[in-house]
Amino acid sequence: MPKLTIDGIEVEVAQGTSILQACEQIGIEIPRFCFHDKLSVVASCRMCLVEVEKMPKPVPSCAQPCADGMVVHTNSPAVKKARKGVMELLLINHPLDCPICDQGGECDLQDQAVAYGRSCGRYRDEKRAVPEKDFGPLIKTAMTRCIHCTRCVRFLNEICGTPELGGMKRGENLEIGMYAEHALTSELSGNLIDICPVGALTNKPNAFAARSWEYQKTETVDVMDAVGSNIRVDTIGNVARRILPRLNEDVNEEWISDKTRFAVDGLRYGRLDKPWVKRDGALVPASWDEAFSVIADRLRDVPAGRVGALAGDLADCESMFALKMLLTGLGSPNLDCRQDGALYDVSSRGAYIMNSGISGIEEADAILLIGTNPRHEAALINARIRKRWLRGGCRVGVIGPEVDPGYPYTYISASPGAIPAILDGREAFASVLKDAQRPMFIVGAGALARPDGAAIHRYVRELAESFNAVREDWNGFNVLQHAAARVGGLDLGFLPQESGWGTRDILNGRLEFLWLLGADEVDLSNIGGAFVVYQGHHGDAGARRADVILPGAAYTEKMGLYVNTEGRPQLALQAAFPPGEAREDWAIVRAVSDACGATLPFDTLMQLREAMFEYAPVLECAGQVQKTLWESFGGDGRLSHDPFGLAVPNFYMTNPICRASPTMAKCSEEILPLLRREGTE
């Protein structure tokens, strides 16, 4: 390990560490534009120049590896002069339009020009101008501001696997763009806004909404998929205006998907802000007391065995636990959190989570995807798989839809019939799994929702055990959920109780009273004359069939616990207040229990959580993944020869918030056709 001296401080670093990284380890700030921790090094901006003794001129610290005995000066007169010169060159063609730039207050160029640049410019000639580019409905461009750091090019090439941008022309005519202009097709394209060090790429839907210092910032978690990305919600007044990523290396690193970032405007449209009750065949506004009275009167007339509840994909753990307590208190065993009607074995926690963890993908040396398109079911998990493939020494096999995930793979089959062939060694990819030290199997939740889902579940478990993927130091059996509420609901047992009915039976007309907790992704056409209570935040599919509507709070408007696909409980914090008369979901259920004479044993959120943690201790340690004991699981039955379908046919329209978002509607209209043409869908 080389030892070097930086500004008089002796430091020992790992072999291959750059001078810039060594400086960061001891708290010395080095300015940079092109360098990014997650991207390849190009050393093109030269802002990170430092002076190294015995070297004839300043060197770019991002590209210079540390050597034993090296003496580095980061703040010498020569370095200061070099930085001022670099900054002056960068600003030669920059329009210097900070007062009208949407990036003002959050611009690296602006900050570093103040900290390291000259007090005035000497360039008096005409500046060049670059035409704006059309990158689709999400990214607003001002390419005259571009300093050619190529972060955007490298991000799309390396992280996303969609090499759509590049440098065109040469010298002073160089432009970043694409020859045939079209919308960017990556599901992670919004991250270009964050990594652009100038105002060349900005947030188009939120353009000129506010300055950075005007936002009230709240750290919380995302619910658009089951990754549980760590995010920051920025609000003005009581309106959530934008969503940005937070760093969490174990979950989302520093990225978020476009759906997470841009569906925020869906929180402002189609909202339920008052209770509604159906009278004479039409929904009319009502008071909370009137709505509770109608529900209580109806429940008295219905046998407990004819009462049921379904929890939607965006429900928090507290509301599901409260609703479960209410129904079981009334004597109903009919409840389910699996809107897709999946019937696979959930007797063991290891049967329905990603046992290796999201970050564990980077340790795998062979990955078999079964019935899943991770690019659209969990874009950040797909980025992890690509990251592992880029490092080398990892092969990916696919049983399922033939799509473009952004990395090469061995296509095995479209149907689950290939699983026994791998198990028996008759399929060539079996040798890849056999030779792997850490094989990984990722089965999609959509694959388990098929009629033969229980059999698929068993076969994949047998695959994992046969190829030594389940042992003390490694568990490569993973279920990729695509609903934020799914793992939490399963942990809390929001499932058919003894002799109870699940989703498929609940929806076939057997019930007389159905409670929908934000359940909008179900077909209600066969429930007959059942009395429907819809509790949610948008007037989506469930609300249109409801007899009583109870307005709830969206994920940015309440305190709640969500469990991601790897089984990590995470706390969401309240960033805004629910609109109008809407209330937090657990409080609504508690109030209904009073009206029904089955009062729940808690009055506050903390009391509810105490009871919930007592029932499911695995949820108590927020932010941590508890190790799960491995048990045998899986169902009987034969595998079908029917091909796997797409669990997420439209990435931009997966929940009520997305469907209410004008931005997601534009993406669905402009980007989805491009994806289908390219074979991604």
Side-chain angles (χ1 to χ4, degrees), residues 35 43 50 277-278 288 294 321 332 365 377 389 424 544 617 665:
F35 177 80
V50 296
V277 173
K278 186 172 284 186
W288 280 106
V294 171
F321 186 67
S332 171
D365 50 2
E377 294 173 33
W389 170 80
D424 297 341
R544 289 194 287 271

Side-chain angles (χ1 to χ4, degrees), residues 298-509:
R298 184 62 177 166
L299 280 171
R300 291 190 192 100
D301 299 335
V302 177
R306 297 290 177 177
V307 176
L310 292 175
D313 292 345
L314 306 183
D316 57 278
C317 290
E318 291 87 347
S319 60
M320 287 189 285
F321 186 67
L323 185 56
K324 179 187 176 183
M325 291 182 70
L326 175 60
L327 260 69
T328 53
L330 294 172
S332 171
N334 310 312
L335 60 159
D336 208 336
C337 65
R338 299 168 294 185
Q339 287 191 104
D340 53 15
L343 296 174
Y344 59 93
D345 186 359
V346 293
S347 58
S348 166
R349 193 170 196 249
Y352 56 81
I353 66 171
M354 285 193 72
N355 291 279
S356 65
I358 295 173
S359 61
I361 292 172
E362 298 186 29
E363 300 178 34
D365 50 2
I367 301 173
L368 180 60
L369 303 176
I370 303 167
T372 181
N373 177 14
R375 178 170 171 180
H376 288 170
E377 294 173 33
L380 292 162
I381 287 177
N382 191 64
R384 287 270 192 176
I385 298 174
R386 174 173 170 79
K387 181 180 179 181
R388 177 63 190 92
W389 170 80
L390 275 175
R391 206 169 75 232
C394 179
R395 290 184 60 185
V396 180
V398 170
I399 299 176
E402 193 170 4
V403 295
D404 176 17
Y407 43 84
Y409 58 84
T410 301
Y411 189 68
I412 300 170
S413 174
S415 71
I419 301 177
I422 294 177
L423 196 58
D424 297 341
R426 291 179 282 116
E427 171 59 49
F429 200 76
S431 61
V432 176
L433 296 169
K434 185 178 180 180
D435 295 339
Q437 297 298 312
R438 290 178 180 261
M440 177 178 288
F441 302 85
I442 302 178
V443 58
L448 302 180
R450 294 161 42 111
D452 59 345
I456 293 173
H457 203 209
R458 184 188 79 248
Y459 269 104
V460 178
R461 174 185 60 79
E462 291 176 359
L463 272 179
E465 293 172 344
S466 298
F467 289 98
N468 197 29
V470 180
R471 52 184 192 265
E472 184 63 29
D473 64 331
W474 177 252
N475 190 333
F477 176 88
N478 298 306
V479 174
L480 179 55
Q481 303 286 357
H482 53 74
R486 192 61 48 84
V487 174
L490 297 176
D491 284 342
L492 291 169
F494 201 95
L495 297 162
Q497 307 300 294
E498 186 176 354
S499 71
W501 293 327
T503 300
R504 298 185 186 188
D505 291 322
I506 286 173
L507 295 176
N508 71 0

Side-chain angles (χ1 to χ4, degrees), residues 111-445:
D111 295 341
Q112 293 186 41
V114 171
Y116 303 103
R118 294 171 57 91
S119 59
C120 62
R122 296 175 293 176
Y123 190 75
R124 296 292 179 265
D125 295 338
E126 292 183 0
K127 295 175 179 283
R128 81 166 189 164
V130 181
E132 307 308 341
K133 315 293 184 183
D134 183 8
F135 289 169
L138 304 179
I139 308 295
K140 183 176 182 291
T141 65
M143 301 310 290
T144 303
R145 301 171 185 156
C146 179
I147 62 170
H148 306 147
C149 69
T150 69
R151 279 187 180 183
C152 55
V153 177
R154 286 175 285 147
F155 178 82
L156 290 177
N157 284 0
E158 298 166 14
I159 306 296
C160 303
T162 54
E164 296 173 304
L165 293 181
M168 302 183 296
K169 306 178 186 176
R170 302 180 67 183
E172 65 176 354
N173 296 316
L174 177 66
E175 296 179 17
I176 300 297
M178 57 185 82
Y179 285 107
E181 242 175 55
H182 59 75
L184 296 174
T185 59
S186 171
E187 294 75 20
L188 302 174
S189 65
N191 294 289
L192 297 177
I193 299 166
D194 298 330
I195 65 172
C196 180
V198 297
L201 304 176
T202 55
N203 188 325
K204 182 180 283 189
N206 196 47
F208 307 114
R211 289 298 194 182
S212 60
W213 54 85
E214 296 178 297
Y215 290 114
Q216 181 70 34
K217 304 169 180 66
T218 306
E219 295 185 348
T220 183
V221 294
D222 172 54
V223 299
M224 293 294 121
D225 53 31
V227 176
S229 300
N230 287 217
I231 59 174
R232 192 187 85 193
V233 178
D234 289 354
T235 57
I236 296 180
N238 197 44
V239 180
R241 298 295 315 192
R242 69 174 184 177
I243 289 176
L244 300 176
R246 285 192 294 130
L247 178 66
N248 188 325
E249 293 290 356
D250 292 331
V251 182
N252 58 301
E253 298 184 283
E254 57 189 275
W255 320 121
I256 52 174
S257 74
D258 290 348
K259 188 163 50 177
T260 298
R261 185 186 301 266
F262 294 108
V264 63
D265 59 348
L267 295 169
R268 305 198 295 271
Y269 302 100
R271 295 301 302 272
L272 299 172
D273 58 0
K274 63 172 72 70
W276 295 75
V277 173
K278 186 172 284 186
R279 301 190 191 279
D280 300 324
L283 286 167
V284 296
S287 68
W288 280 106
D289 288 339
E290 288 175 323
F292 293 157
S293 177
V294 171
I295 294 171
D297 291 344
R298 184 62 177 166
L299 280 171
R300 291 190 192 100
D301 299 335
V302 177
R306 297 290 177 177
V307 176
L310 292 175
D313 292 345
L314 306 183
D316 57 278
C317 290
E318 291 87 347
S319 60
M320 287 189 285
F321 186 67
L323 185 56
K324 179 187 176 183
M325 291 182 70
L326 175 60
L327 260 69
T328 53
L330 294 172
S332 171
N334 310 312
L335 60 159
D336 208 336
C337 65
R338 299 168 294 185
Q339 287 191 104
D340 53 15
L343 296 174
Y344 59 93
D345 186 359
V346 293
S347 58
S348 166
R349 193 170 196 249
Y352 56 81
I353 66 171
M354 285 193 72
N355 291 279
S356 65
I358 295 173
S359 61
I361 292 172
E362 298 186 29
E363 300 178 34
D365 50 2
I367 301 173
L368 180 60
L369 303 176
I370 303 167
T372 181
N373 177 14
R375 178 170 171 180
H376 288 170
E377 294 173 33
L380 292 162
I381 287 177
N382 191 64
R384 287 270 192 176
I385 298 174
R386 174 173 170 79
K387 181 180 179 181
R388 177 63 190 92
W389 170 80
L390 275 175
R391 206 169 75 232
C394 179
R395 290 184 60 185
V396 180
V398 170
I399 299 176
E402 193 170 4
V403 295
D404 176 17
Y407 43 84
Y409 58 84
T410 301
Y411 189 68
I412 300 170
S413 174
S415 71
I419 301 177
I422 294 177
L423 196 58
D424 297 341
R426 291 179 282 116
E427 171 59 49
F429 200 76
S431 61
V432 176
L433 296 169
K434 185 178 180 180
D435 295 339
Q437 297 298 312
R438 290 178 180 261
M440 177 178 288
F441 302 85
I442 302 178
V443 58

